[in-house]
Amino acid sequence: MPARPFIVHVALQTPSHSGVGDLLSYASERPLAPGTLVRVPLGAREVLGVVWDADEATGELPEGATMRAIAGVLDGVAPLDLPWRRLVAFAARYYQRALGEVALAALPPQLRDLKPEQLARRLRRPATAVGDNSNAIQNIALTAEQESARARIAAGKGPFLLFGSTGSGKTEVYLRCVQEILEADKGDGFPAQALVMVPEINLTPQLEERFVGRFAPRFGPGAVVSLHSGMTNPQRLKSWLAAHCGSARIVLGTRMAVFASLPGLQLIVVDEEHDPSYKQQEGARYSARDLAIWRGREQGAKVLLGSATPSLESWHASRPPTPEDPEGGRYVRLHMPSRIGAGALARVRRVNMNQQPRRTVFSAPLLQAITERVARGEQSMILLNRRGYAPVLHCVDCGWKSDCPHCSAHQVFHKTDRTLRCHHCGFTVRVPHHCPSCGSPDIHPMGRGTEQLEEQLGALLRNVQRPAGEPARIARIDADTTKAKGALEAQLAQVHSGEVDVLVGTQMIAKGHDFRRITLVAAVQPDGALFSSDFRAPERLFALLMQAAGRAGRDAAYMAAQGTQCEMWVQSFHPQHAVFEALRTHDYPAFAAQQLKEREEAAMPPFSYQALVRADARTQEVAQGFLSAATAAAHAAGLPGIDLVTLFPPVPLTIQRVANVERAQMLMESPSRAALQRFLAAWQPVLQTTRSQPEHKGLIRWLVDVDPLSI
């Protein structure tokens, strides 16, 4: 008589807001440990799932019951451990997403497609050679500030906020902390592992080079792996498996790496922790920085956040105790104010553009400073956070503008390929020879982008020569010039080798890069963020400008040999603004104190907690109507926590139409994080019920964004 099958509960990816539960039950011939990867039937498809812990014990199938059976077990991969499953469950609960959605998104895409026999073939491939444990790691001598930070991290539990000036050597502190946890591993359990996160893909190659150079001789070339979306699916699977089985001791990655399976995790480093790129903007809108803090606490790993311009949330959380606030913050703040080699921070020079001729792009003093540096063989960097040639084309006669037909936004003029391109939906057309509205040939670009700056600098510096007599060389780095594989690395190599005299680019050149010959940085149009409706705009602008200023003068010996001082130029119509005043003295603590005071008075984060609900529909009326109806239903039901939550009326997004979809949002705010979470959890079924009502037929989707970074 055949044995009864066992019931196993599986987390798998189901359609968003489908009403399908977090876990589906399947029949198995044998009991399976939680965390086991399985392939199961779902409708007409076969998909990957993760066996999950269930409230009730996994047992035998009741007499007479029928259940779909598991299709296969990926026995070659060890079960995902309890700390990983707890991290996924917390992220799904906190960010209001389905458990299976978060769990499966955290796994490499190729793993979702491989059958057990295909995976077994992959796992039979030879492993990477290990290093020679007798090799000593070649360290750089630490400064007194670096050594103090390292010692405090080694002696304490954290979390730690390493507040270090640009060029103060934060990366070397990271390297030493990683080295200590790896060398302290006695080999009596799972190998010790470290996770090091950076905000953007373009920062991983240079960091990987330093980590491989430092640790590969001792622990082997496979001890350091990367995890980011720029890798191919086979590469991501290989790195993930190496981390999961312990052969990879160090994982470098972007925000997705926070979900890497690291059973031996003992240290998490979040570099440039203030960067908004750590916040996912699609699907489960998680903050990798915040999840790193949670994961470190749950898994007993130390967490080190690093930045020259910390987020105000982290700065507030690391406040030292005072008589008025005897407990202080939850983080330990470590300060490294000095640059390596006693290099000076950039002198900030402000140009009042009200006193410059109309339509001036480069003021005469700034142009003269750039010219002098080219003549001396030094490099300059020009920052403009807008790609393309111009934000819009405009007809002088009838006022026509190059609006996108599918979005409430302009199509950007790209002169290089003579196209008008929408940066929201991607719709592209050729530049018209005449105005499409009135036929006038008098159409002109309005505003400026990096393409135009590159062109104008070429004209202004055409007679300027380098020390050897060659003409000045100008390069541009932005999302348009780095599309091809390897393009960014090649362009950065040109800058590092001195082949470029003036580098023009967007924010992707302003952070993390260790340019050794740049002595001048200029922000030509930074005023746009000064008067934004988003309360975080000043914080983001200050961080961007401080990070950009930090690219200048990083090599103290080079600066001394040149006999020059590094400079940060800011061209503004509001040069006395508080942001530029704080930038002038490189005084982040003063800027943070002023911003936190304003936020406390206005009861804004970090002194309150927020969430957004966004609705996408065929019309704005349907989108806002859905949100209004869901709000009314929440009040009528008296949902838990609603007495401590303020629900603001729905409004259109700043760009309210994208790809012919209308978008509306509503903000929720509460002084209590727990009350907001209770309310959101109780509101989910209300939102689902509201969506099914006939008057909301045109609704396409809705989503919740907890702790939003932009409103």
Side-chain angles (χ1 to χ4, degrees):
M1 188 173 176
R4 291 180 183 173
F6 288 85
I7 301 172
V8 291
H9 306 284
V10 180
L12 41 84
Q13 194 155 9
T14 54
S16 297
H17 311 307
S18 61
V20 177
D22 275 346
L23 299 175
L24 296 183
S25 299
Y26 289 87
S28 171
E29 294 179 353
R30 57 187 170 96
L32 296 174
T36 301
L37 295 175
V38 293
R39 295 198 65 81
V40 297
L42 181 67
R45 298 178 297 137
E46 188 181 288
V47 298
L48 181 70
V50 183
V51 176
W52 215 262
D53 319 72
D55 292 335
E56 70 276 7
T58 300
E60 295 183 349
L61 195 65
E63 189 75 40
T66 59
M67 189 176 292
R68 300 188 79 176
I70 282 175
V73 180
L74 277 66
D75 286 314
V77 180
L80 293 153
D81 62 10
L82 179 60
W84 185 89
R85 300 196 305 276
R86 285 175 57 83
L87 171 70
V88 166
F90 169 78
R93 186 171 64 250
Y94 186 82
Y95 293 105
Q96 304 294 314
R97 304 299 291 193
L99 176 67
E101 176 191 8
V102 178
L104 273 296
L107 298 175
Q110 195 173 39
L111 193 59
R112 302 173 214 160
D113 301 327
L114 290 178
K115 295 186 181 300
E117 54 275 14
Q118 293 172 317
L119 180 63
R121 283 197 296 272
R122 278 196 66 102
L123 294 173
R124 282 198 292 269
R125 294 174 186 174
T128 308
V130 297
D132 182 356
N133 286 334
S134 64
N135 284 337
I137 292 176
Q138 300 299 312
N139 286 318
I140 299 170
L142 297 181
T143 65
E145 289 177 2
Q146 288 175 317
E147 175 57 32
S148 173
R150 184 212 59 78
R152 290 188 65 185
I153 294 166
K157 291 184 177 180
F160 301 94
L161 175 64
L162 183 59
F163 170 47
S165 299
T166 51
S168 61
K170 294 187 290 296
T171 304
E172 186 60 35
V173 175
Y174 304 157
L175 287 159
R176 285 296 185 91
C177 291
V178 170
Q179 178 182 337
E180 288 185 5
I181 70 113
L182 296 188
E183 291 186 333
D185 186 7
K186 297 181 173 57
D188 51 358
F190 206 90
Q193 294 175 303
L195 170 62
V196 182
M197 293 198 295
V198 292
E200 295 185 7
I201 293 171
N202 65 59
L203 297 178
T204 50
Q206 64 180 29
L207 194 66
E208 185 173 17
E209 186 179 344
R210 289 190 67 175
F211 271 84
V212 169
R214 186 73 62 93
F215 295 109
R218 175 75 178 272
F219 298 102
V224 181
V225 299
S226 292
L227 269 177
H228 56 76
S229 59
M231 302 167 68
T232 64
N233 284 345
Q235 287 172 333
R236 280 172 66 178
L237 178 59
K238 182 180 179 182
S239 292
W240 186 90
L241 288 170
H244 179 62
C245 73
S247 63
R249 308 294 299 277
I250 303 162
V251 173
L252 309 177
T254 50
R255 60 175 177 259
M256 68 162 60
V258 76
F259 287 111
S261 174
L262 292 157
L265 184 63
Q266 293 189 20
L267 174 69
I268 304 176
V269 175
V270 185
D271 191 26
E272 309 291 6
E273 66 85 29
H274 67 278
D275 198 291
S277 298
Y278 283 120
K279 177 80 160 132
Q280 170 76 348
Q281 294 300 327
E282 297 295 334
R285 300 192 166 202
Y286 63 87
S287 165
R289 179 198 65 206
D290 296 348
L291 286 179
I293 295 289
W294 192 93
R295 185 175 189 179
R297 186 183 70 232
E298 284 291 305
Q299 208 161 337
K302 291 185 181 182
V303 180
L304 175 56
L305 311 178
S307 177
T309 54
S311 64
L312 291 181
E313 285 81 2
S314 296
W315 186 257
H316 181 66
S318 67
R319 64 193 183 280
T322 62
E324 299 79 24
D325 181 14
E327 291 190 5
R330 297 172 292 127
Y331 303 173
V332 178
R333 186 185 300 169
L334 311 172
H335 194 191
M336 296 199 316
S338 306
R339 299 189 106 177
I340 297 295
L345 292 169
R347 180 175 65 158
V348 178
R349 303 189 62 171
R350 293 171 289 180
V351 179
N352 188 341
M353 296 304 286
N354 295 296
Q355 299 172 0
Q356 298 295 315
R358 194 165 177 265
R359 298 183 182 276
T360 295
V361 180
F362 294 95
S363 61
L366 172 58
L367 188 61
Q368 180 62 30
I370 294 172
T371 301
E372 291 172 359
R373 278 167 167 74
V374 173
R376 290 200 297 262
E378 300 169 12
Q379 294 176 317
S380 301
M381 188 174 92
I382 312 299
L383 176 68
L384 176 63
N385 207 19
R386 183 184 292 130
R387 62 190 172 102
Y389 189 86
V392 62
L393 277 187
H394 170 251
C395 175
V396 175
D397 291 342
C398 73
W400 170 86
K401 292 184 177 66
S402 56
D403 294 331
C404 175
H406 308 296
C407 307
S408 51
H410 300 306
Q411 285 186 288
V412 177
F413 173 38
H414 288 258
K415 190 174 182 179
T416 305
D417 56 4
R418 301 291 299 175
T419 61
L420 293 173
R421 196 181 312 157
C422 178
H423 290 174
H424 297 278
C425 73
F427 181 73
T428 304
V429 296
R430 300 292 297 171
V431 173
H433 295 290
H434 302 86
C435 172
S437 179
C438 72
S440 169
D442 200 9
I443 52 176
H444 299 284
M446 291 178 65
R448 297 175 183 89
T450 48
E451 268 186 47
Q452 190 174 159
L453 288 195
E454 180 186 26
E455 179 183 277
Q456 292 181 340
L457 269 176
L460 292 168
L461 301 179
R462 62 184 179 277
N463 297 321
V464 178
Q465 294 183 336
R466 307 175 80 239
E470 314 103 311
R473 292 174 292 191
I474 302 163
R476 171 169 56 93
I477 294 181
D478 56 27
D480 296 320
T481 66
T482 56
K483 287 178 182 176
K485 185 175 178 60
L488 177 61
E489 290 80 0
Q491 289 173 297
L492 290 174
Q494 288 182 323
V495 180
H496 288 301
S497 66
E499 295 175 46
V500 174
D501 300 302
V502 184
L503 175 63
V504 178
T506 55
Q507 64 176 1
M508 65 191 300
I509 65 172
K511 48 196 175 187
H513 299 291
D514 192 22
F515 300 126
R516 310 303 291 178
R517 304 185 193 186
I518 286 180
T519 61
L520 180 148
V521 174
V524 293
Q525 287 184 339
D527 288 354
L530 294 178
F531 306 104
S532 168
S533 58
D534 188 342
F535 69 90
R536 283 193 170 90
E539 177 187 1
R540 284 197 289 265
L541 176 61
F542 184 81
L544 177 62
L545 295 180
M546 280 279 284
Q547 293 288 329
R551 298 316 104 204
R554 295 180 71 85
D555 189 332
Y558 176 76
M559 297 300 297
Q562 292 296 106
T564 188
Q565 182 178 10
C566 56
E567 292 181 336
M568 169 73 179
W569 288 68
V570 178
Q571 294 189 158
S572 171
F573 289 96
H574 309 275
Q576 304 306 315
H577 193 280
V579 169
F580 302 139
E581 285 288 343
L583 180 70
R584 182 179 62 84
T585 54
H586 298 275
D587 195 346
Y588 174 82
F591 171 78
Q594 174 259 332
Q595 287 285 304
L596 284 170
K597 184 177 180 219
E598 287 184 9
R599 292 202 191 174
E600 186 171 20
E601 290 170 351
M604 288 182 170
F607 304 100
S608 68
Y609 304 94
Q610 295 179 331
L612 280 175
V613 176
R614 198 182 93 192
D616 295 354
R618 294 300 174 197
T619 66
Q620 188 65 214
E621 291 74 22
V622 169
Q624 293 194 35
F626 166 75
L627 295 175
S628 297
T631 301
H635 282 293
L639 296 180
I642 196 169
D643 53 323
L644 289 174
V645 177
T646 302
L647 284 78
F648 293 91
V651 294
L653 268 72
T654 306
I655 307 295
Q656 71 177 60
R657 181 167 53 93
V658 171
N660 294 321
V661 172
E662 292 285 339
R663 310 184 303 166
Q665 67 181 16
M666 60 175 292
L667 175 68
M668 288 153 287
E669 204 166 66
S670 175
S672 165
R673 191 198 299 270
L676 183 60
Q677 282 289 317
R678 283 198 305 273
F679 171 73
L680 289 172
W683 202 24
Q684 287 280 355
V686 175
L687 287 162
Q688 188 68 41
T689 302
T690 305
R691 180 187 186 177
S692 63
Q693 295 170 356
E695 58 268 33
H696 308 306
K697 188 177 180 182
L699 186 73
I700 298 171
R701 69 184 71 89
W702 55 272
L703 59 87
V704 178
D705 186 358
V706 181
D707 301 333
L709 282 190
S710 58
I711 299 173

